[in-house]
Amino acid sequence: MLFDLAGRSYVNIGTVIMSSAALFLLAGMALYTRLYRIRGRLEDRLFFAMLVTDIIAAFADGMNNMLESSPVSRAGDLIIAGDTLFTLAFECFAFLFVLYADARAYQDPAHTRKRLPLYAVPFVLEIPVILGNLPGRYLFTVDEANRYHFGEYYPVIFLATAVYGLIGVMLLARIDARLILTMLLMIIVRLFGGRMARGISSTPFVYAVGLVYIQILRMNRGFYDEEESV
Amino acid sequence: MIVTEQNAVIIYSDLMAFLMMLGMVCLSSRFRGRRSVAARLFLILCVGAMAEALLSMVCYSLHGQTFSWGRPAAWISKTLLEMTMLVLVFHWVMYVDFKLYGSRDRLIRTIAFLTAPLGLCALLLIVNLFTGIVFTINEDLTYTGTVIYDVLMAVEFLYLLVPLFQTIVYHLKGHRFRFFRIAPVLIPAMTACIVDLTTPYSAAALGISIGLVFLYFSLVSEWRFEDRETGLCNKEYLRYLHEQVLLGRRTFRYAMTFTAGGDPGALVAILKQEAPGNAELIRTAHDSCVLLTENGDRSALELLRLLVEDAAGEYDAAHENGRIDLHVQTYASRKDDVPAALTETLLGKTV
């Protein structure tokens, strides 16, 4: 084989493959949704924000796994910084998703803006918790060999995501029930498949596939809200 | 059943690719009622990608196992995987050919020309089940490829690359690409192939699926602007072109409007025949079409007008009861006009 992968953890390689796939998918999506960005509705801007957030998450996740167990100096600090960025992007994506679902469900920018402070609460509460990990290392840490370890309070980062997940499901029901089914399927596969693949991280990829599904449903409607072109 | 760590990575990426394709096919309502060759070929590509992901999962789940029934299962699944891959890339060539030229006759000629390597490889894979000339299955259900297996891989690779040459030739002939782009499909697929060739990991299903997602996006963009009855672009496309002009991405110098007092179907047939490959031909109403050109000169446009009028005259002479009754009007963009003046005029006329 051209690349010597001996000594690299399969989890790292698997995660790099999934993050690269997510980056390909997201970069392509950014190109193909250009017209929607030009259209410039609130939902279009939120969709693009989700896309950018997921690109950051995929890049940070891929970089962390490239650096893990690496002899590069200060790799440990870079991993902590990268994972902090990943976790913030992970939470921010969920927050943006709820805003997007609200914008789509009610089709009223004023309604979404009114709910914005309420929706922001879980994300804002998580920010100091995540940033506090930089000195405290209670969520995740790295050892001297630059190997990543989960901290005692790691599950705390899922609290905000769980809240957003619940709100998101309720809002999605107003848009399209098929979207809930397909996204739940992806999340279940992510949870159980990830266990089967023994720790490979594919969260940015699963988010990217979620964005693909959303885009497909968006494309089912006409661009100018016509039912179907002549 | 114990799956090795390396195979777990491959199975997981195949599973994700399969789910991505499944979701795409299930969620899209754009396929409903579409019976075009391109839509059918695209559906075949999606089903092929799903089959490829599933068979790859089966193959890599069997790797390193010691089941009594594992050996025949490994032979069959690996043979089917290679067959599926060949059929998939072959349909990819057909799809691109049809997207570029939109001609069934040309597609049939392409199939006839390109079926030989596919047939030979399929024959070799069948013979391989009894002789092991392409690959053999070892005791631990891993496989070892022979030189012929490398040739098979090269054929698959070539099928993947042939559309690249087709698009280059198409571009050199002076044709314009509207929505179909080959790079977003080829880049992830080729990257996955390179990962396959240079590492012990396989991401072929993932790369192909990502490429197909992009292909779907471009296909829907195209359908949005397609007049289903005639296959020309619809009025929304004129609006889209106007937006492109406003953004400074396109400029148009000349336009012609064609109105049929009688048979609009015959007018469309004539325009399809006579319009230059780099012109935008749009059906703006049941009985009228617009032709837009970015460059060229007035004399070329006049020649086109004469050609269309001659063809319409011939048709009218031959069909006393179903005449076209053609009316043509030419518009030119003046030097002191704002760039979007021409498309704005046309849009105003079609409201």
Side-chain angles (χ1 to χ4, degrees):
Chain A
M1 291 295 162
L2 195 66
F3 298 120
D4 180 20
L5 296 172
R8 303 291 299 175
S9 151
Y10 70 94
V11 172
N12 295 145
I13 295 163
T15 306
V16 169
I17 289 175
M18 296 313 287
S19 297
S20 309
L23 282 172
F24 267 118
L25 203 52
L26 293 161
M29 292 263 289
L31 288 175
Y32 280 103
T33 53
R34 188 178 53 83
L35 269 181
Y36 288 87
R37 283 201 298 287
I38 294 168
R39 189 171 71 171
R41 291 179 190 168
L42 180 63
E43 62 179 74
D44 299 327
R45 281 179 280 156
L46 286 167
F47 186 86
F48 183 62
M50 284 197 285
L51 211 74
V52 173
T53 312
D54 201 22
I55 286 174
I56 294 168
F59 179 77
D61 205 17
M63 191 191 74
N64 286 349
N65 281 276
M66 293 277 273
L67 286 170
E68 200 172 342
S69 306
S70 133
V72 175
S73 64
R74 298 187 71 86
D77 292 339
L78 280 171
I79 291 171
I80 290 292
D83 214 45
T84 304
L85 189 66
F86 169 76
T87 315
L88 281 170
F90 174 72
E91 302 287 358
C92 185
F93 185 92
F95 167 55
L96 289 168
F97 176 68
V98 167
L99 283 180
Y100 175 81
D102 187 282
R104 279 283 303 274
Y106 293 99
Q107 294 290 323
D108 178 13
H111 181 274
T112 310
R113 286 197 184 97
K114 205 171 83 185
R115 292 262 181 103
L116 178 77
L118 187 69
Y119 289 147
V121 171
F123 177 53
V124 172
L125 288 175
E126 284 276 9
I127 292 172
V129 177
I130 295 164
L131 293 179
N133 181 63
L134 287 170
R137 308 283 167 102
Y138 45 81
L139 294 176
F140 42 82
T141 186
V142 278
D143 61 19
E144 278 136 17
N146 292 331
R147 276 193 302 263
Y148 180 90
H149 297 284
F150 292 110
E152 205 178 334
Y153 297 103
Y154 187 75
V156 171
I157 68 160
F158 296 109
L159 285 176
T161 324
V163 173
Y164 285 132
L166 276 174
I167 303 169
V169 165
M170 284 189 283
L171 291 168
L172 282 183
R174 293 176 69 102
I175 306 170
D176 196 322
R178 289 177 303 168
L179 202 55
I180 303 178
L181 290 176
T182 45
M183 284 196 161
L184 279 178
L185 181 68
M186 285 306 289
I187 290 165
I188 290 166
V189 169
R190 164 74 189 88
L191 293 175
F192 291 95
R195 188 176 286 256
M196 176 201 82
R198 294 157 215 170
I200 293 169
S201 166
S202 58
T203 306
F205 184 78
V206 171
Y207 279 176
V209 174
L211 290 176
V212 168
Y213 291 163
I214 290 172
Q215 178 62 14
I216 287 170
L217 285 177
R218 208 152 62 133
M219 288 172 102
N220 283 346
R221 294 185 302 161
F223 184 70
Y224 299 104
D225 285 337
E226 75 279 7
E227 275 306 305
E228 174 86 3
S229 298
V230 181
Chain B
M1 187 162 95
I2 299 160
V3 178
T4 63
E5 292 165 342
Q6 179 189 317
N7 291 340
V9 173
I10 300 169
I11 293 165
Y12 187 60
S13 73
D14 287 337
L15 181 65
M16 284 293 171
F18 176 77
L19 286 174
M20 188 162 65
M21 282 288 98
L22 186 69
M24 190 176 90
V25 173
C26 292
L27 286 177
S28 173
S29 61
R30 289 267 172 181
F31 282 116
R32 282 177 212 146
R34 298 250 170 212
R35 293 286 178 268
S36 70
V37 177
R40 284 178 189 177
L41 283 172
F42 181 74
L43 262 182
I44 293 172
L45 286 175
C46 290
V47 173
M50 284 195 276
E52 205 245 329
L54 272 179
L55 287 164
S56 177
M57 277 192 270
V58 174
C59 278
Y60 285 101
S61 301
L62 290 171
H63 263 212
Q65 309 297 333
T66 49
F67 306 131
S68 56
W69 49 268
R71 211 170 156 74
W75 272 103
I76 292 166
S77 59
K78 180 69 182 161
T79 305
L80 284 175
L81 177 66
E82 295 305 334
M83 288 262 201
T84 310
M85 194 64 187
L86 278 167
V87 171
L88 187 68
V89 285
F90 180 69
H91 275 86
W92 163 236
V93 178
M94 282 166 55
Y95 178 83
V96 174
D97 191 84
F98 188 77
K99 280 312 294 175
L100 294 178
Y101 296 97
S103 158
R104 282 174 193 242
D105 293 339
R106 199 195 135 89
L107 185 64
I108 290 163
R109 284 201 302 274
T110 309
I111 294 170
F113 179 66
L114 288 169
T115 306
L118 174 78
L120 186 67
C121 290
L123 192 69
L124 282 170
L125 282 168
I126 293 165
V127 172
N128 180 64
L129 286 170
F130 311 102
T131 58
I133 55 166
V134 182
F135 60 83
T136 50
I137 303 289
N138 307 320
E139 287 300 313
D140 59 352
L141 304 186
T142 55
Y143 68 89
T144 309
T146 64
V147 179
I148 298 175
Y149 184 77
D150 294 337
V151 174
L152 204 79
M153 292 292 107
V155 170
E156 285 175 10
F157 211 67
L158 273 176
Y159 271 133
L160 202 60
L161 280 179
V162 164
L164 185 66
F165 298 111
Q166 284 173 309
T167 43
I168 291 169
V169 169
Y170 183 79
H171 182 68
L172 290 175
K173 281 181 180 172
H175 294 288
R176 161 173 277 281
F177 299 101
R178 277 204 187 91
F179 299 100
F180 177 66
R181 298 279 182 281
I182 198 164
V185 185
L186 269 190
I187 292 170
M190 296 301 286
T191 309
C193 285
I194 291 165
V195 169
D196 274 17
L197 291 171
T198 55
T199 72
Y201 294 88
S202 168
L206 204 56
I208 290 169
S209 303
I210 292 172
L212 286 178
V213 167
F214 296 154
L215 201 60
Y216 176 75
F217 287 163
S218 68
L219 203 59
V220 174
S221 303
E222 207 171 302
W223 285 342
R224 183 192 298 146
F225 298 123
E226 185 190 60
D227 174 56
R228 276 180 155 190
E229 208 180 309
T230 61
L232 297 182
C233 296
N234 62 15
K235 205 169 78 181
E236 292 300 336
Y237 186 63
L238 184 59
R239 207 161 136 182
Y240 167 78
L241 287 179
H242 179 61
E243 281 167 10
Q244 295 283 301
V245 174
L246 287 173
L247 289 168
R249 293 177 198 281
R250 304 280 298 267
T251 47
F252 293 103
R253 286 186 65 187
Y254 298 107
M256 288 174 97
T257 58
F258 303 88
T259 310
D263 182 3
L267 170 68
V268 170
I270 289 170
L271 288 175
K272 273 185 177 175
Q273 183 76 29
E274 304 294 348
N278 58 355
E280 299 286 6
L281 193 54
I282 303 156
R283 190 186 187 203
T284 48
H286 174 67
D287 58 351
S288 60
C289 296
V290 165
L291 183 137
L292 277 158
T293 60
E294 284 187 329
N295 40 38
D297 52 33
R298 195 141 196 147
S299 59
L301 213 65
E302 279 307 308
L303 186 65
L304 174 67
R305 180 197 180 112
L306 287 173
L307 280 171
V308 174
E309 280 176 347
D310 274 0
E314 278 173 28
Y315 185 89
D316 284 351
H319 301 79
E320 277 295 318
N321 298 324
R323 295 161 61 86
I324 297 179
D325 283 336
L326 180 70
H327 301 281
V328 187
Q329 205 167 355
T330 307
Y331 300 84
S333 178
R334 288 193 302 261
K335 276 186 181 166
D336 53 340
D337 277 347
V338 287
L342 190 65
T343 43
E344 203 168 327
T345 309
L346 293 170
L347 271 173
K349 283 196 164 294
T350 58
V351 169

